[in-house]
Amino acid sequence: MPPLWLCPRCGRGFANRNQSHSCSNVRLEEHFAGREPHVVATFKRLVAAAKKSGPVTVLPEKTRIAFQVRMSFAAFTLRRRWVDGHVVLARRLDSPRFTRIEFYSPRNQLHAFRLHAPEEVDDEVMSWLAEAYLVGEQKHLRPRGQASGSES
């Protein structure tokens, strides 16, 4: 895969050159202000779960916090008493826990959900993050059977 394009203004990396975005200098801690402790704990558990798949860049933005590998694969908005989040999957996955599913293309489908407590970051949520991580790596774009550059 080609290297990430770096925005000359903010330094954020993108899989696509000149990717449309809003440059941000928001600090992660700003998203924690005024939130209940269980909300911050839920978010931290999401970070830990995502990192089980590999390195993750946590990108605080004005209204959300994105998780990125080559591209963003999940994003979260910390509310006072809960966390609204979504994962991007390369397929439609049905779960009663999804509050909505948005179809952008057959391999780009947003699955939104809400979490109220750290315990809700369970095996099911961890499986969503693991599958979304592959989208973040853009592995869903490789033809089936094609090895990545790190595999022998």
Side-chain angles (χ1 to χ4, degrees):
M1 294 246 167
L4 295 178
W5 170 77
L6 297 179
C7 172
R9 290 184 61 211
C10 66
R12 181 173 169 187
F14 293 94
N16 298 316
R17 184 170 177 75
N18 297 318
Q19 175 73 41
S20 174
H21 70 286
S22 295
C23 295
S24 174
N25 60 358
V26 176
R27 292 183 358 264
L28 183 60
E29 295 73 26
E30 294 176 46
H31 284 277
F32 300 158
R35 304 316 187 262
E36 299 284 337
H38 68 273
V39 169
V40 176
T42 300
F43 175 75
K44 289 181 177 181
R45 191 153 176 185
L46 287 161
V47 172
K51 287 184 175 183
K52 287 182 179 181
S53 294
V56 173
T57 301
V58 177
L59 296 165
E61 300 171 348
K62 183 178 177 181
T63 60
R64 68 182 197 159
I65 305 164
F67 290 0
Q68 178 184 343
V69 185
R70 285 189 55 78
M71 54 186 270
S72 295
F73 65 91
F76 304 94
T77 302
L78 280 57
R79 304 295 186 187
R80 189 165 46 147
R81 293 192 176 99
W82 65 80
V83 176
D84 283 330
H86 73 255
V87 292
V88 178
L89 304 178
R91 65 183 177 118
R92 179 185 178 94
L93 178 65
D94 291 316
S95 169
R97 296 172 74 181
F98 291 133
T99 56
R100 76 180 190 286
I101 299 173
E102 295 179 17
F103 178 90
Y104 294 106
S105 72
R107 295 187 293 181
N108 186 359
Q109 300 184 39
L110 182 146
H111 295 68
F113 54 93
R114 177 170 286 174
L115 301 173
H116 294 91
E119 309 74 61
E120 291 182 303
V121 183
D122 56 12
D123 289 344
E124 183 179 30
V125 173
M126 287 189 263
S127 73
W128 301 340
L129 287 166
E131 186 173 335
Y133 188 92
L134 298 175
V135 172
E137 289 184 302
Q138 296 185 303
K139 288 193 173 176
H140 68 299
L141 300 177
R142 293 190 184 118
R144 295 196 193 286
Q146 181 180 340
S148 71
S150 63
E151 297 172 71
S152 303

